[in-house]
Amino acid sequence: MPEKVKIQLEYEVKSAPKILFSFLNEPNALAQWFADEVTIRENIYTFQWHDDSKRAKLVNVKDNKSVRYKWIDDEPYYFELEIVQDELTNDVALAVTDFVKEENLEDRKLIWDNSIDYLSSVLGA
């Protein structure tokens, strides 16, 4: 199985960190932009997209700052969403860390671009 490469993306998001954070770890909020349906049971999140589902464990949470989900069936890979706020301007960005097979790199970037655009529209930004 080919190794995955780490990608790091950053998106400007017009939202207060506290509001944005709720969209990163609450199942109902995640279902508004990240997956079609999100459920949680014993700290395991199930993300459902059309005919596909994946399970991930929430392994790290920093309130109003970041979340890291580790894929159950895809060890040791994870994805992380981190809120970054500029100290001078107070501009808010969402930094995404993900892992993807090299041949799927451009598709995955496009998926994140579209997901974050959708998140921005849900936030009303």
Side-chain angles (χ1 to χ4, degrees), residues 37-49:
E37 184 179 333
V38 180
T39 56
I40 182 174
R41 185 180 191 133
E42 297 177 9
N43 216 32
I44 303 292
Y45 286 67
T46 301
F47 300 101
Q48 182 78 39
W49 298 273

Side-chain angles (χ1 to χ4, degrees), residues 4-121:
K4 293 184 177 183
V5 295
K6 183 178 189 176
I7 61 170
Q8 294 180 294
L9 308 166
E10 191 169 300
Y11 302 91
E12 184 180 347
V13 179
K14 298 193 182 314
S15 175
K18 190 172 187 174
I19 293 168
L20 178 56
F21 185 74
S22 69
F23 281 85
L24 307 183
N25 72 332
E26 293 177 7
N28 289 338
L30 282 162
Q32 291 182 48
W33 71 276
F34 183 71
D36 296 330
E37 184 179 333
V38 180
T39 56
I40 182 174
R41 185 180 191 133
E42 297 177 9
N43 216 32
I44 303 292
Y45 286 67
T46 301
F47 300 101
Q48 182 78 39
W49 298 273
H50 304 290
D51 298 332
D52 189 28
S53 71
K54 287 191 153 234
R55 296 179 328 130
K57 183 173 185 166
L58 183 60
V59 293
N60 194 1
V61 178
K62 294 178 185 165
D63 280 344
N64 299 322
K65 184 77 174 142
S66 67
V67 293
R68 179 181 287 191
Y69 295 92
K70 192 167 195 171
W71 295 113
I72 301 290
D73 299 326
D74 198 11
E75 295 280 344
Y77 301 111
Y78 64 89
F79 72 97
E80 184 171 60
L81 304 167
E82 181 182 4
I83 299 168
V84 180
Q85 188 166 21
D86 186 285
E87 291 181 17
L88 294 176
T89 64
N90 278 335
D91 288 345
V92 174
L94 183 61
V96 176
T97 301
D98 197 3
F99 293 84
V100 61
K101 292 177 185 172
E102 190 85 47
E103 64 267 18
N104 297 333
L105 187 60
E106 289 307 313
D107 287 343
R108 182 65 61 90
K109 285 181 181 177
L110 190 58
I111 289 169
W112 278 115
D113 290 350
N114 290 335
S115 294
I116 301 304
D117 280 349
Y118 198 66
L119 171 62
S120 291
S121 71

